[in-house]
Amino acid sequence: MQTVETLNEGLKRAYTLTITAKDIDAKVDAEVKRVAPQVRMPGFRPGKVPVNLVRKMHGEALTQDALNAAVQEGVQSLLAEKALRPAMQPTVALGDDYAPGKDVELKVELEVLPDVPAPAIDGLKLERLTIPVADEAVDEQLKKFADQQKRWDDAGDKAAEHGDLVTVDFVGKTEDGVAFEGGTGTDMGVEIGAGRLIPGFEDQLVGAKTGEERQLAVTFPEDYGAKELAGKPATFDIVVKSVKTAAESKIDDEMATSLGLESLEQLRGLLKGQIEQEHNGLTRTHMKRKLLDQLAEGHDFPVPPSMVEAEFAQIWQQLEHEATHEADPAAAMAEMENDRDDYRKIAERRVRLGLLLSEIGQANGIEVTQQEMQRLIMQAAQQYGPEERQKFIQYVQQEPMAAAQLRAPLYEDKVVDFLFEKADVTDRESTREELEAAIESEDGFATGTHVHDHDHDHDHDHKPKKKAAKKKAEPEAATEEAPAAEASEEAPKPAKKAAAKKKAAAPVEAETAVTESAPEAAENAEGTEAADAAPAKKPRAKKPKAETAE
């Protein structure tokens, strides 16, 4: 094989490889001899078909297989001979004048990983904002949880009031009296005053009694999901099936034992532990962002444009998805376009940080163990059904990139934990509001990273395609670890988000619908959510802490 370098500019490389027809014929001959004993042909005993007939029958397919094998071997030899570390999968194309029986000329283009300077990790200084869990915070969570467990008692002939639960059948009609699609439902529970339904619906149930029929007049919000109803007046013919009042929610040992716990004190302890975990997550996110800021400020080196483009494409795709859920998607997209250059700089920063973290990890012997990898695979497999689970496990075990995608987040966490230990950390007591504000003020895209494993095998199938177009960069590098920033750092915020509509064709849907077509969870004119408080999480008994790198 002959190799000629045609480009060496920055991180870009290009080569022309020539594989002789003689070499390919030799591979074909070897393959013919290998398969000949297995070929069956009328008139010949098993295994006695002449080699020339085997070549005549299967020569075209065997030649193509030999060509593919020769190309793959040639590219792998090039990478090894030149000690190249591709940033992305190399682009491989046959010469325009290729024909069977002729020498093969390959054009190989790639970008290589830069020589990352030894990262400066001495002198890192970090502030750890800690949030003590006040008894008031536990009381608040306990009250939220008790409210979620509320019991409803039949109110008999009592007229419905705010806070009562009214069960209704309903038929929605346009102003001309025609029932619209998705506007009919039965046995829908409506908690008056909860603010989950379109404006005016709940208020008009005040005073209703069991067995009563009413007609409610409403106007759909301007930004309603079903465009044919948005901003239009409508009526709902309703039949009240029952009225129930909320029984007093008692926060006591009995409530705790109904959950399988021993006492109220144990329930308080579990809720406190959940709040502490949330606080610790916020603290870690803030520390990690400050850490990455220091690394970014102290290091500047060129990064492969293809990796930046892949990272940018991933960011842009996420932003476009977010924009579709805006009240005005077109305006959100226009705002994104104005900031396109900024997002591209963010992509470059993320790639550079990923290379830095990878270099730090390798220089300090940080790795993901086989045991940890097996645990990651089994955890990821749980999202599949029993039939697909084993296929997924086999796929990850056979595909290096799939395994890299699973390994990357844990690898990054281990490197970050190592740097936390190296840094000079000072503690300062803070409040949740202060910490959340500090995190909110930082750009999640800018602090996300893209961790890379420089030692990852580059065993790719470079099947030649005549006049092949240059391959588009994939969101994850074909030869490196997948992006691994924490989820809390990845959320894009291109503009103020509006709540997504579940079904544009179903105009009446509830947040917690009893039927598929219950009146929609409402937002007020300013776009704020009607429910002010987030639901309390159901407390769970603590499990043994999973094995970590810490």
Side-chain angles (χ1 to χ4, degrees), residues 274-313:
Q274 288 183 347
I275 296 173
E276 286 176 340
Q277 287 182 358
E278 292 173 5
H279 289 178
N280 291 340
L282 292 172
T283 295
R284 178 184 173 84
T285 296
H286 183 256
M287 281 184 66
K288 180 178 177 181
R289 292 188 174 187
K290 293 302 183 184
L291 170 68
L292 297 180
D293 284 343
Q294 290 188 45
L295 289 176
E297 291 170 3
H299 301 86
D300 187 19
F301 51 87
V303 294
S306 59
M307 293 179 70
V308 174
E309 187 59 35
E311 196 71 23
F312 173 77

Side-chain angles (χ1 to χ4, degrees), residues 188-249:
M188 181 185 72
V190 181
E191 185 177 351
I192 301 177
R196 296 193 178 100
L197 307 182
I198 53 179
F201 192 101
E202 295 174 13
D203 292 339
Q204 294 179 67
L205 291 178
V206 173
K209 294 184 178 182
T210 300
E212 182 179 343
E213 297 182 7
R214 284 192 176 190
Q215 186 178 78
L216 313 183
V218 299
T219 299
F220 284 96
E222 294 291 341
D223 61 348
Y224 194 68
K227 294 182 179 180
E228 67 275 12
L229 294 173
K232 302 289 181 61
T235 60
F236 283 92
D237 296 334
I238 63 112
V239 177
V240 179
K241 306 289 283 295
S242 68
V243 176
K244 296 181 179 182
T245 59
E248 182 182 357
S249 299

Side-chain angles (χ1 to χ4, degrees), residues 15 224 271 322 422 428-429 451 547:
Y15 300 88
Y224 194 68
L271 290 174
E322 292 292 327
K422 293 279 292 182
R428 179 168 68 87
E429 195 170 292
V451 170
E547 179 184 348

Side-chain angles (χ1 to χ4, degrees), residues 108-185:
V108 181
E109 298 179 358
L110 69 154
E111 287 177 348
V112 297
L113 290 171
D115 292 325
V116 180
I121 60 176
D122 294 328
L124 292 172
K125 294 183 182 295
L126 296 173
E127 183 179 52
R128 179 165 46 213
L129 301 182
T130 59
I131 313 171
V133 180
D135 290 340
E136 293 78 11
V138 178
D139 291 340
E140 183 180 348
Q141 285 295 99
L142 196 57
K143 185 178 183 305
K144 287 181 182 180
F145 186 74
D147 288 343
Q148 292 170 16
Q149 307 301 310
K150 70 174 63 173
R151 195 176 68 252
W152 297 98
D153 295 333
D154 194 341
D157 291 334
K158 172 183 173 295
E161 301 175 357
H162 276 276
D164 289 347
L165 181 68
V166 181
T167 302
V168 301
D169 294 345
F170 61 91
V171 177
K173 300 177 181 178
T174 58
E175 58 183 335
D176 56 4
V178 178
F180 51 80
E181 183 180 356
T184 302

